[in-house]
Amino acid sequence: QEKSRWEILQQEQRLIEEKNKRKKALLAKTIAERSKRTQAETVKLKRIQKELQALDDMVSADIGILRNRIDQASLDYSYARKRYDKAESEYVAAKLDLQHKTEIKEHLTEHLCTIIQQNELRKARKLEELMQQLDVEADEENMELEIEVERMLQQQEAEAGRQASQSHNHAGTAKGNSTPRVTTQESEHGSCASPAISEQSLQSENSSTKSHSNMDSQTPAVNVTPGNSPACSAT
């Protein structure tokens, strides 16, 4: 009975030891599997963290580039805004100055016209007084006709001089650079000669008018030169 108990104890001991071995092996296997699983999860987590970090770095780089561009754009905008404000203020000041100078010019021109007109009116009254003192009657219609004819002659002569100068200029352009100087001088001489011709024609016409008036009425004639007519030209 004692041996049997000893054997039973040994058998139970062996059974317990076998169970413990198997349990230990099962635990070791479970730990190994879970360790592998943990390592895989750790690697996966590290990979995910690296990918997230790469995305963050990419976004940070893009944000940095955009911030630099925004800073440069802000500087450019500030410079352009200052330049625009300066140009706008200069434009407003120049416009106001132009308006003021234009008003002054128009006022002075109007004043000049008024002075010339008053002077001509005084001359006309004085001439009327002189003509009344000399018992001379002026034919207003003939005077107006003569003045109109003289104006037409002056316009024709000016147009002829202009056409001659244009023809000389065209001819000089076809010949070369040296010839236009000569044609320009010729056109200048032609334009300078036209007033002399006009003056001669006016003098001859006035003399003929005098002769006709002397023959018709045997009274002194008063000639009115076109320079005494009221004229006003704004420069």
Side-chain angles (χ1 to χ4, degrees), residues 66-190:
L66 288 175
R67 282 180 177 175
N68 292 330
R69 290 184 178 178
I70 288 171
D71 293 337
Q72 185 63 37
S74 298
L75 292 174
D76 294 339
Y77 170 79
S78 178
Y79 174 75
R81 185 68 185 179
K82 289 179 181 178
R83 184 180 177 186
Y84 172 79
D85 293 337
K86 184 179 179 181
E88 186 179 12
S89 62
E90 290 179 356
Y91 170 75
V92 173
K95 188 175 181 180
L96 293 174
D97 185 63
L98 176 63
Q99 184 177 1
H100 179 65
K101 298 295 176 57
T102 303
E103 291 176 356
I104 293 174
K105 176 176 172 286
E106 291 177 354
H107 178 71
L108 292 175
T109 304
E110 184 179 356
H111 186 59
L112 175 63
C113 293
T114 304
I115 290 174
I116 293 174
Q117 185 177 9
Q118 291 177 354
N119 187 30
E120 293 299 327
L121 290 174
R122 286 195 296 269
K123 285 183 180 180
R125 287 195 295 269
K126 191 65 177 177
L127 290 172
E128 289 291 336
E129 292 176 0
L130 293 174
M131 291 175 70
Q132 289 177 3
Q133 291 177 5
L134 298 175
D135 295 331
V136 177
E137 294 182 358
D139 192 351
E140 297 290 339
E141 293 182 359
N142 288 333
M143 286 184 180
E144 291 179 359
L145 181 60
E146 290 176 0
I147 292 171
E148 187 65 25
V149 170
E150 290 174 358
R151 288 180 182 176
M152 291 176 64
L153 290 174
Q154 290 177 358
Q155 290 178 357
Q156 290 177 358
E157 290 174 358
E159 184 67 23
R162 192 180 302 110
Q163 291 178 358
S165 63
Q166 289 179 357
S167 63
H168 283 302
N169 289 331
H170 287 300
T173 305
K175 290 180 180 179
N177 293 326
S178 60
T179 308
R181 297 179 180 176
V182 179
T183 56
T184 304
Q185 293 177 357
E186 291 177 355
S187 63
E188 290 178 354
H189 286 299

Side-chain angles (χ1 to χ4, degrees), residues 41-55:
E41 290 179 355
T42 303
V43 172
K44 186 177 181 181
L45 289 174
K46 288 182 179 180
R47 182 174 57 80
I48 292 172
Q49 287 178 354
K50 287 182 179 179
E51 291 178 356
L52 291 175
Q53 187 65 34
L55 290 174

Side-chain angles (χ1 to χ4, degrees), residues 183-229:
T183 56
T184 304
Q185 293 177 357
E186 291 177 355
S187 63
E188 290 178 354
H189 286 299
S191 62
C192 292
S194 60
I197 297 172
S198 176
E199 187 176 358
Q200 291 177 359
S201 62
L202 290 174
Q203 291 178 357
S204 62
E205 188 173 356
N206 288 329
S207 63
S208 62
T209 305
K210 287 181 180 179
S211 62
H212 285 296
S213 61
N214 289 327
M215 292 175 65
D216 293 335
S217 61
Q218 294 298 324
T219 57
V222 178
N223 293 323
V224 180
T225 59
N228 293 330
S229 61

